[in-house]
Amino acid sequence: MLIKIRKPWELKDQDVTPEHLFKQRRKFLKIGAAALAGGIGGGMLSRHAFAAWPAAGELLADVRKTAFDPGEALTPFDQVSSYNNFYEFGTGKDEPVYGAKDFKPAPWTVEIAGACAKPGLYDFSDLIDPHPLEERIYRHRCVEAWSMVVPWVGVSLADVIKRLEPTSKARYIAFETLLDPDRMPGQHRNVLQWPYVEGLRLDEAMNPLALLSVGLYGRTLPPQNGAPLRLVVPWKYGFKGIKSIVKITFTEDQPPTSWNRSSAHEYGFYANVNPEVDHPRWSQAKERRIGEFFKQKTLPFNGYGSEVASLYADMDLAKFF
Ligand SMILES: Nc1nc2c(c(=O)[nH]1)N[C@H]1C(S)=C(S)[C@@H](COP(=O)(O)O)O[C@H]1N2
Ligand SMILES: [Mo]
């Protein structure tokens, strides 16, 4: 049993698990053996799939409020769900909302692989089970110098990682988006190498701020925002927040990441929000909050320095950008 040290942003009642609530949220259905034949590795957490996970954009039950909240005006739902980067559905910000309209994120499995004790093929809802769904309001800063404030719903990535029991060899965690050009037509174009991939150092992934998100504004994720499961790392540029995840691998070596592969001098592995390190083609000192007219100053680590700066204590952040 791990002893939980309460962080200042956590609510007092956060350790109280309303077990009956999230049990009742999940109604299970047995997956036919055939559906997963050959796919089941060593340690599926359960052989049940969540039958009643609401469709994309529908209300989620039993979402717990948390004290993760910068206290800034929320970016309206309409903006969060219609101004998107999701190259699998087109490179324009206005394209994913239309391009992903008919994308069905169900059924959805996530393969767990690499240096851990519990590899296997998991229904995505098993992967986040039994952790309570939390609402966390985070600043969301794109590398292109726009930003939003988003009320995400999700589970702590650290909690999920602990249950998968990474071995001592695991130093990084790698994520992959679905590869399916029939369902993600943007993958017919070579604007990026597909599938989209991302990664974190394991200690970054274990930071309490890292979130595996399944929703926003109290509802399941709209497809254009990365349904049914995406990463949110609020102290990093938005491109680290890989969408529609189908595979998670624990690795010994630093994994490749899509934007770094595409243009290494512009996009580093770390991608920490840093107003002092400019992008080669533009300044990162300021950002435009979507919906606002005047630009505002960008904060180091997007304002989360007190929680994460220690992860990079001995590093030259101009070199490891
Ligand atoms: N698979 C995938 N994930 C992705 C992207 C993408 O093109 N494909 N774009 C990234 C970028 S650049 C940003 S800023 C965020 C945008 O997330 P949002 O549309 O929910 O605001 O998603 C990130 N995750
Ligand atoms: Mo971005």
Side-chain angles (χ1 to χ4, degrees), residues 12 16 37 59 69 94 114 135 223 232 235 250 253 259 277 320:
K12 284 236 172 64
V16 183
L59 271 177
D69 184 353
D94 54 347
E135 176 170 272
V232 177
W235 69 95
F250 294 95
D253 300 320
W259 282 100
V277 177
F320 296 97

Side-chain angles (χ1 to χ4, degrees), residues 178-195:
L178 177 69
L179 176 63
D180 188 345
D182 289 340
R183 294 165 71 198
M184 295 182 149
Q187 290 177 338
H188 288 296
R189 292 172 57 203
N190 291 328
V191 286
L192 285 173
Q193 191 180 317
W194 308 111

Side-chain angles (χ1 to χ4, degrees), residues 79-81 83-90 93 96 140-144 146 148 150 152 176-178 184 187 192 194-198 216 221 224-226 230-231 237-245 258-259:
Q79 307 254 36
V80 176
S81 59
Y83 187 85
N84 303 103
N85 268 336
F86 201 171
Y87 276 26
E88 285 84 340
F89 294 103
K93 310 258 181 299
H140 176 44
R141 170 63 158 79
C142 178
V143 74
E144 296 165 293
W146 51 265
M148 300 185 182
V150 181
W152 300 107
E176 250 181 69
T177 294
L178 177 69
M184 295 182 149
Q187 290 177 338
L192 285 173
W194 308 111
Y196 196 99
V197 291
E198 256 306 337
L216 54 83
L221 286 171
Q224 62 272 25
N225 291 94
R230 60 91 57 83
L231 182 66
Y237 291 119
F239 66 83
K240 298 296 286 184
I242 181 172
K243 295 176 169 180
S244 304
I245 296 166
S258 280
W259 282 100

Side-chain angles (χ1 to χ4, degrees), residues 220-292:
T220 57
L221 286 171
Q224 62 272 25
N225 291 94
L229 183 73
R230 60 91 57 83
L231 182 66
V232 177
V233 204
W235 69 95
K236 294 178 180 281
Y237 291 119
F239 66 83
K240 298 296 286 184
I242 181 172
K243 295 176 169 180
S244 304
I245 296 166
V246 293
K247 187 172 181 184
I248 300 176
T249 311
F250 294 95
T251 67
E252 213 172 336
D253 300 320
Q254 183 177 301
T257 62
S258 280
W259 282 100
N260 181 254
R261 248 182 194 162
S262 154
S263 186
H265 74 289
E266 294 179 298
Y267 310 105
F269 174 81
Y270 285 93
N272 292 316
V273 173
N274 190 341
E276 275 157 31
V277 177
D278 288 338
H279 184 279
R281 290 183 280 135
W282 59 82
S283 165
Q284 294 291 23
K286 289 185 175 177
E287 65 201 56
R288 192 174 69 84
R289 187 63 51 89
I290 297 302
E292 290 178 18

Side-chain angles (χ1 to χ4, degrees), residues 16-39:
V16 183
T17 303
E19 193 114 56
H20 65 287
L21 286 181
F22 56 89
K23 280 220 173 101
Q24 151 192 326
R25 189 179 78 223
R26 293 151 198 271
K27 292 185 186 147
F28 293 98
L29 166 85
K30 287 212 166 73
I31 294 186
L36 289 174

Side-chain angles (χ1 to χ4, degrees), residues 65-133:
K65 301 271 179 209
T66 65
F68 292 95
D69 184 353
E72 294 166 31
L74 299 183
T75 304
F77 176 81
D78 287 356
Q79 307 254 36
V80 176
S81 59
S82 67
Y83 187 85
N84 303 103
N85 268 336
F86 201 171
Y87 276 26
E88 285 84 340
F89 294 103
T91 54
K93 310 258 181 299
D94 54 347
E95 286 181 275
V97 63
Y98 297 108
K101 195 163 40 74
D102 299 321
F103 182 74
K104 293 273 176 301
W108 196 273
T109 53
V110 180
E111 185 188 346
I112 303 296
C116 71
K118 300 272 165 67
L121 192 63
Y122 295 76
D123 181 85
F124 94 92
S125 62
D126 281 346
L127 196 64
I128 61 169
D129 192 62
H131 307 298
L133 292 181

Side-chain angles (χ1 to χ4, degrees), residues 9-10 14 66-70 134-138 208-209 304:
W9 61 77
E10 290 177 328
Q14 195 163 355
T66 65
F68 292 95
D69 184 353
E134 298 178 20
E135 176 170 272
R136 298 185 183 189
I137 302 171
Y138 281 159
L209 285 171
Y304 299 100

